[in-house]
């Protein structure tokens, strides 16, 4: 019994749940071995019960002053001091330096709220309560003690920022795109930041208020086939393959670059890369990385060597990027060098020992001897940053209420720069995923190491704050993938499958409060992707924090009869959509292409399950037709029996307008559905079976916006949204 108690006791302290409600609604237990391994990954000594309890006691011993206190405006500012009962209050004074530069001081004695030291509790004192939002430094000084006790006091707004148009209840729409799928006659075989500007202008002129993007985090330029935007090298930096090369100012100045690009051979390769139906990442990377270094050389000669204003702007960017930018640039430089020698060098875990971790002396030596190469990757991050900034500036100039909305992936790959240079923020012995559910009986292991919640608190949430800042730059809204991860994440011990995991809980109130503060600072509203198994407790917490929920029409059904909910009943504080990048397109869904493809790829265990899915789909389609007809959006001439009704332009438009008439503040549409495409960009659960993250749009942007049906649906959306359920 004692063993169970020790394990259980410490698991509770570490906020590891030993049971959870499964997707089938019953209670599932977590194996002791899983808990033991996760505790070990968090740094507890699991060699024996006594050792476990001792290490827990040491780990959870309270400092006199906690490292951080996060409060929302209006809450009383009560600070706990963990002191022995012999300490005299008269020995203490406090000093608060606010972020705005104000200094407040006082004595403890006159501000004590409660004293529970006799019962092993804290001594609590109050600070002035009308403090401004921000990151403030509190010092508690004690007579005859040299150094003060210190805490970061974070005061935040109650809710995330909302654009004035949102507060005025404007109903907005815009497309959500995977940037790499865009085609134009001037890109280099992959949608880029130049194409994004073109799309922004096209959508703004048709009444759209935003353009949503897939995560544009840095990936692996030296291993370009590692293309999943949800397994980034770092979430703090950008994917340099999205650089629009010919728009970089140095391109117009570099005769060498222009000569190279202008050659018949290069032009032929560009045309071939553009014409391909799937993004050829290896070729795109090869084309861009053969020209971008020439632009950097030009930049050095014309700017760095002469210390021009442009050079100053770059150096300021490097200064601001600090260690994190150095990690990214050094990683990419080393990776490129190693990959050129051996094409099996796919990422950090296979680097030679001397380069395996950022702090290794071999890495420091490499940085010194290859400064130019490291600086090249810093320059490319700067160029990418400038180009995404231009796209957002253009959106604002064109009157879009939101502009770009970016997507924050749930974690980083265990093979990228962030794990390579990690100094304790990540748990490298575990990875996150999802427990078994109806569609995935084996659960999911995403191969992404989780942030350590204990380190987050000990460091005043430093890594989390920097992450939000990097992703709220240059956009009007941020979508947080798997936002439930702010409450809890499914951790899986390294090397195990997803069934052997457990939920670990995070300080959700603190994290949402900081999210609200950064959201106001960057004037960036927040959308939380809250699909999947959603614990009841988070729904309210997110709503109160001003985070927009995510409503996918096909999933919004009534618990009673399974019928489709009217979009007029969706929460106003939400974004609605018909389809997402993880689902079939509208046409694919309607014609069951996803089920047929799944069967071909062997995703279903047996014929019986497949037949069940086909029957469910027909039922869903019938429910959709009935709902759309009942709401008056079904065009004349479209039949009422789902068995015989194909997906065509009229039905596709009807479905989009049906959701557009709903009450969600934001409506996301997909260009794929405007073009009546059938192939998806991603099939969850596949790796080699399907070319995920590569499928392009079926026509280029000029053609898209010269298409009558596209202009028709855009005009209709603007009209219907203007009178949508208020």
């Amino acid at each position: 019994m004692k063993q169970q108690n020790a394990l259980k006791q410490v698991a509770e302290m570490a906020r590891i749940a030993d049971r959870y409600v499964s997707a089938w609604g019953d209670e599932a237990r977590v194996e002791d071995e899983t808990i033991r391994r996760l505790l070990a990954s968090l740094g507890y000594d699991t060699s024996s019960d006594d050792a476990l309890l001792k290490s827990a006691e040491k780990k959870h011993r309270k400092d006199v002053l906690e490292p951080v206190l996060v409060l929302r405006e209006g809450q009383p500012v009560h600070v706990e001091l963990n002191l022995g009962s012999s300490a005299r209050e008269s020995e203490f004074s406090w000093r608060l330096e606010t972020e705005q530069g104000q200094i407040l001081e006082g004595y403890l004695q006159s501000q004590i709220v409660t004293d529970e030291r006799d019962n092993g509790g804290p001594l609590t004192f109050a600070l002035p309560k009308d403090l401004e939002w921000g990151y403030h430094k509190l010092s508690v000084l004690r007579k005859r003690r040299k150094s003060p006790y210190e805490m970061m006091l974070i005061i935040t707004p109650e809710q995330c920022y909302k654009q004035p148009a949102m507060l005025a209840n404007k109903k907005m729409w815009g497309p959500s795109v995977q940037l790499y799928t865009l085609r134009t006659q001037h890109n280099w075989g992959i949608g880029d930041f130049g194409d994004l500007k073109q799309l922004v202008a096209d959508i703004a002129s048709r009444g759209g208020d935003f353009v949503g993007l897939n995560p544009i985090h840095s990936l692996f330029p030296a291993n370009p086939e590692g293309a999943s935007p949800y397994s980034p090298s770092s979430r703090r930096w950008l994917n340099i393959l999205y650089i629009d090369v010919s728009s970089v100012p140095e391109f117009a100045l570099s005769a060498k670059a222009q000569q190279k690009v202008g050659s018949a051979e290069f032009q032929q390769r560009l045309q071939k890369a553009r014409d391909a139906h799937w993004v050829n990442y290896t070729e795109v990377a090869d084309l861009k990385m053969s020209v971008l270094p020439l632009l950097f050389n030009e930049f050095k000669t014309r700017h760095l060597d002469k210390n021009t204003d442009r050079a100053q702007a770059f150096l300021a960017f490097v200064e601001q990027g600090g260690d994190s930018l150095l990690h990214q640039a050094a990683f990419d430089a080393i990776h490129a060098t190693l990959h050129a020698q051996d094409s099996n060098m796919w990422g950090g875990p296979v680097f030679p020992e001397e380069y395996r971790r950022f702090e290794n002396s071999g890495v420091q030596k490499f940085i010194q001897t290859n400064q130019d190469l490291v600086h090249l990757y810093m320059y490319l991050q700067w160029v990418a940053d400038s180009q995404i900034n231009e796209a957002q500036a253009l959106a604002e100039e064109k009157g879009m209420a939101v502009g770009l909305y970016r997507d924050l992936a749930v974690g980083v790959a265990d093979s990228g720069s962030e794990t390579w240079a990690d100094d304790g923020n990540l748990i490298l012995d575990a990875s996150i995923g999802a427990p078994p559910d109806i569609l995935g009986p084996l659960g999911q292991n995403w191969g992404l190491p989780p942030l350590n919640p204990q380190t987050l608190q000990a460091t005043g949430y430093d890594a989390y704050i920097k992450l939000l800042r990097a992703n709220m730059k240059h956009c009007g809204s941020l979508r947080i993938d798997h936002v439930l991860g702010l409450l809890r994440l499914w951790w899986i011990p390294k090397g195990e499958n997803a069934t052997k995991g457990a939920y670990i809980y995070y300080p959700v109130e603190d994290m949402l409060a900081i999210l609200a503060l950064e959201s106001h600072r960057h004037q960036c509203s927040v959308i939380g992707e809250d699909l999947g198994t959603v614990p009841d407790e988070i729904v309210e917490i997110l709503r109160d924090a001003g985070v927009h929920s995510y409503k996918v029409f096909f999933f919004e059904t009534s618990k009673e009869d399974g019928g489709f909910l009217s979009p007029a009943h969706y929460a106003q504080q939400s974004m609605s959509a018909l389809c997402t990048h993880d689902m079939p397109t509208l046409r694919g869904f309607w014609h069951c292409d996803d089920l047929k493809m799944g069967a071909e790829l062997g995703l279903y265990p047996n014929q019986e399950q497949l037949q069940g899915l086909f029957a469910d789909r027909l039922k869903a389609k019938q429910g959709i037709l009935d709902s759309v007809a009942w709401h008056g959006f079904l065009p004349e001439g479209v039949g009422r029996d789902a068995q015989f009704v194909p997906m065509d332009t009229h039905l596709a438009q009807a479905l989009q307008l049906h959701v557009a008439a709903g009450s969600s503040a934001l409506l996301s549409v997909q260009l794929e559905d405007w073009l009546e495409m059938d192939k998806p960009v991603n099939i969850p659960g596949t790796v080699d079976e399907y070319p995920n993250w590569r499928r392009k749009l079926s026509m280029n942007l000029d053609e898209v916006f010269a298409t009558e049906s596209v202009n028709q649906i855009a005009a209709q959306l603007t009209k219907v949204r203007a009178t949508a359920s208020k």
Side-chain angles (χ1 to χ4, degrees):
M1 196 61 191
K2 181 187 169 199
Q3 180 196 359
Q4 184 56 36
N5 283 346
L7 197 63
K8 240 183 144 141
Q9 214 176 317
V10 178
E12 212 165 292
M13 292 164 90
R15 308 194 65 199
I16 300 175
D18 63 353
R19 57 196 66 218
Y20 64 99
V21 177
S22 79
W24 292 269
D26 46 20
E27 191 173 78
R29 285 182 57 82
V30 175
E31 294 174 21
D32 286 357
E33 184 52 26
T34 295
I35 294 176
R36 197 172 285 108
R37 285 189 59 188
L38 291 177
L39 284 171
S41 73
L42 279 160
Y44 294 86
D45 182 344
T46 56
S47 58
S48 72
D49 279 3
D50 287 343
L52 181 59
L53 290 166
K54 263 202 192 98
S55 68
E57 194 184 328
K58 193 174 163 192
K59 229 179 196 309
H60 294 273
R61 188 173 294 133
K62 287 193 162 159
D63 290 330
V64 170
L65 204 53
E66 291 286 308
V68 63
L69 176 62
V70 185
L71 296 169
R72 288 189 160 94
E73 63 180 340
Q75 284 184 296
V77 185
H78 289 174
V79 180
E80 295 184 350
L81 286 174
N82 301 298
L83 294 167
S85 45
S86 59
R88 292 209 298 276
E89 296 107 76
S90 56
E91 293 181 358
F92 293 87
S93 60
W94 59 267
R95 172 189 167 92
L96 185 71
E97 292 174 51
T98 73
E99 191 183 349
Q100 291 75 15
Q102 250 189 320
I103 290 179
L104 307 169
E105 294 178 302
Y107 292 99
L108 204 63
Q109 236 167 346
S110 54
Q111 280 153 307
I112 289 169
V113 181
T114 55
D115 185 350
E116 292 165 26
R117 288 177 295 166
D118 290 345
N119 310 318
L123 175 70
T124 305
F125 72 99
L127 288 175
K129 72 163 188 269
D130 49 359
L131 297 171
E132 285 187 64
W133 298 346
Y135 300 90
H136 312 310
K137 183 177 156 188
L138 173 66
S139 308
V140 173
L141 303 98
R142 184 177 191 173
K143 279 181 192 160
R144 290 185 296 283
R145 189 179 193 271
K146 271 195 189 139
S147 54
Y149 304 109
E150 289 183 341
M151 164 191 270
M152 185 195 280
L153 174 64
I154 306 177
I155 306 290
T156 78
E158 274 182 47
Q159 288 205 327
C160 290
Y161 174 82
K162 287 189 171 76
Q163 273 79 8
M166 275 183 194
L167 294 173
N169 204 9
K170 181 181 184 186
K171 304 291 183 207
M172 299 177 244
W173 71 268
S176 294
V177 301
Q178 302 281 307
L179 184 51
Y180 53 84
T181 64
L182 299 185
R183 297 171 93 137
T184 55
Q185 265 316 100
H186 42 77
N187 76 28
W188 287 23
I190 185 173
D192 60 29
F193 292 135
D195 298 341
L196 178 59
K197 284 166 77 169
Q198 187 177 335
L199 179 63
V200 160
D202 284 329
I203 293 296
S205 67
R206 286 164 180 78
D209 275 301
F210 63 86
V211 171
L213 292 171
N214 55 294
I216 51 175
H217 309 312
S218 61
L219 294 178
F220 299 85
N223 178 27
E225 295 302 330
S228 168
Y230 292 94
S231 293
S233 175
S234 165
R235 294 186 290 174
R236 299 262 300 272
W237 301 101
L238 297 169
N239 181 348
I240 58 178
L241 286 192
Y242 287 137
I243 290 173
D244 172 5
V245 183
S246 35
S247 291
V248 181
E250 281 70 42
F251 185 78
L253 305 170
S254 168
K256 261 189 178 169
Q258 288 176 41
Q259 219 171 345
K260 189 179 182 82
V261 174
S263 73
E265 188 221 355
F266 202 90
Q267 284 298 319
Q268 234 170 341
R269 285 175 68 190
L270 279 181
Q271 200 51 52
K272 198 175 165 194
R274 278 184 204 124
D275 292 343
H277 293 301
W278 306 86
V279 178
N280 180 344
Y281 284 103
T282 302
E283 177 69 346
V284 167
D286 204 38
L287 289 165
K288 293 199 177 191
M289 291 313 292
S290 68
V291 176
L292 288 166
L294 301 176
L295 306 190
F296 178 56
N297 290 340
E298 198 66 34
F299 176 71
K300 276 190 307 191
T301 321
R302 292 189 184 249
H303 296 287
L304 278 181
D305 294 351
K306 297 177 181 160
N307 201 13
T308 62
D309 287 351
R310 185 159 163 79
Q312 291 288 320
F314 168 63
L315 294 171
F317 175 83
V318 171
E319 174 83 10
Q320 210 178 354
D323 289 346
S324 178
L325 179 57
L326 177 62
H327 297 159
Q328 182 66 55
F331 180 87
D332 285 343
I334 290 173
H335 194 185
T337 306
L338 294 172
H339 197 274
Q341 297 158 5
D342 174 359
S343 59
N344 293 320
M345 284 287 160
W346 50 268
V350 293
F351 284 5
E353 196 49 55
E354 61 191 304
Y355 300 135
R356 192 69 57 85
R357 303 272 312 144
F358 174 75
E359 67 266 17
N360 292 1
S361 57
V363 169
Q364 305 314 311
K365 204 168 146 192
F366 179 95
I367 293 170
Q368 279 161 3
T369 49
N370 296 275
Q371 271 191 347
D372 250 14
L373 189 59
V374 174
H375 291 159
L376 161 69
Y377 285 99
M378 290 179 167
Y379 166 78
L380 296 180
Q381 284 298 336
W382 177 57
V383 168
D385 187 81
S386 317
Q387 291 194 347
I388 184 92
N389 183 22
E390 285 169 18
Q392 177 62 16
L394 179 70
E396 288 168 13
E397 191 187 306
K398 297 276 182 198
M400 280 186 160
V402 174
L404 301 181
Y405 105 73
R406 286 180 61 177
D407 194 348
L408 175 63
V410 69
V412 289
D414 53 12
S415 53
S417 69
E418 220 165 295
T419 43
W420 176 73
D422 179 60
D423 57 0
N425 285 308
L426 296 167
I427 296 289
L428 302 178
D429 286 342
S431 107
I432 52 183
D437 63 24
I438 292 136
L439 291 177
L442 297 174
Q444 297 171 40
N445 185 337
W446 302 327
L448 312 168
L451 278 169
N452 182 339
Q454 296 176 356
T455 307
L456 277 176
Q457 284 173 296
T459 54
Y461 296 99
D462 181 59
Y464 174 66
I465 293 165
K466 286 177 175 155
L467 175 67
L468 292 178
R469 287 176 180 169
N471 284 275
M472 286 179 166
K473 265 169 94 173
H474 320 319
C475 66
S477 202
L478 182 66
R479 170 188 181 271
I480 300 182
D481 187 41
H482 194 64
V483 72
L484 312 176
L486 295 179
L487 172 74
R488 62 178 196 184
L489 281 172
W490 184 255
W491 285 25
I492 305 152
K494 194 88 172 161
E496 290 294 345
N497 68 35
T499 56
K500 296 255 193 293
Y503 278 116
I504 292 205
Y505 280 74
Y506 281 73
V508 64
E509 291 288 1
D510 283 7
M511 292 175 86
L512 283 172
I514 292 167
L515 178 67
L517 175 58
E518 290 300 328
S519 145
H520 277 268
R521 296 234 155 141
H522 292 86
Q523 300 204 334
C524 177
S525 46
V526 179
I527 298 154
E529 187 267 305
D530 50 359
L531 306 174
T533 313
V534 184
D536 295 341
E537 66 220 85
I538 188 88
V539 177
E540 220 166 292
I541 300 175
L542 288 171
R543 189 185 61 219
D544 293 349
V547 174
H548 288 78
S549 182
Y550 204 62
K551 304 288 179 202
V552 177
F553 173 73
F554 296 133
F555 302 157
E556 293 297 314
T557 52
S558 143
K559 284 192 172 68
E560 282 74 56
D561 61 3
F564 286 84
L565 296 182
S566 165
H569 296 152
Y570 292 175
Q572 190 184 317
Q573 188 177 276
S574 74
M575 165 177 265
S576 54
L578 274 168
C579 301
T580 74
H581 62 268
D582 278 335
M583 293 169 61
T585 61
L586 203 45
R587 197 180 182 91
F589 172 89
W590 201 262
H591 294 158
C592 303
D593 292 342
D594 57 320
L595 301 181
K596 294 170 197 163
M597 203 180 289
E600 275 171 39
L601 300 177
L603 297 186
Y604 309 117
N606 54 47
Q607 200 56 33
E608 196 182 335
Q609 189 193 11
L610 184 61
Q611 288 317 117
L613 291 170
F614 272 115
D616 290 348
R617 181 65 53 88
L618 182 58
K619 196 173 150 202
K621 285 161 58 175
Q622 190 58 59
I624 290 166
L625 277 183
D626 294 345
S627 181
V628 176
W630 191 84
H631 284 87
F633 280 101
L634 203 63
E636 295 217 356
V638 172
R640 293 293 304 270
D641 186 340
Q643 283 185 88
F644 308 113
V645 174
M647 178 55 67
D648 61 9
T649 312
H650 304 294
L651 182 55
Q653 290 198 4
L655 278 176
Q656 291 173 67
L657 298 177
H658 173 55
V659 182
S663 49
S664 296
L666 302 161
L667 165 76
S668 153
V669 293
Q670 296 206 115
L671 298 180
E672 283 86 344
D673 295 330
W674 286 5
L675 303 178
E676 299 180 39
M677 291 174 65
D678 52 10
K679 282 196 175 63
V681 290
N682 174 46
I683 300 180
T686 62
V687 180
D688 304 322
E689 299 90 336
Y690 183 80
N692 293 320
W693 319 117
R694 287 162 172 77
R695 197 264 292 123
K696 297 185 193 176
L697 293 178
S698 55
M699 52 174 88
N700 74 40
L701 287 182
D702 289 341
E703 294 165 331
V704 170
F705 291 101
T707 304
E708 194 188 338
S709 61
V710 165
N711 289 316
Q712 205 180 349
I713 183 68
Q716 290 284 89
L717 284 171
T718 301
K719 191 175 157 197
V720 169
R721 290 255 77 195
T723 56
S725 331
K726 293 289 185 193

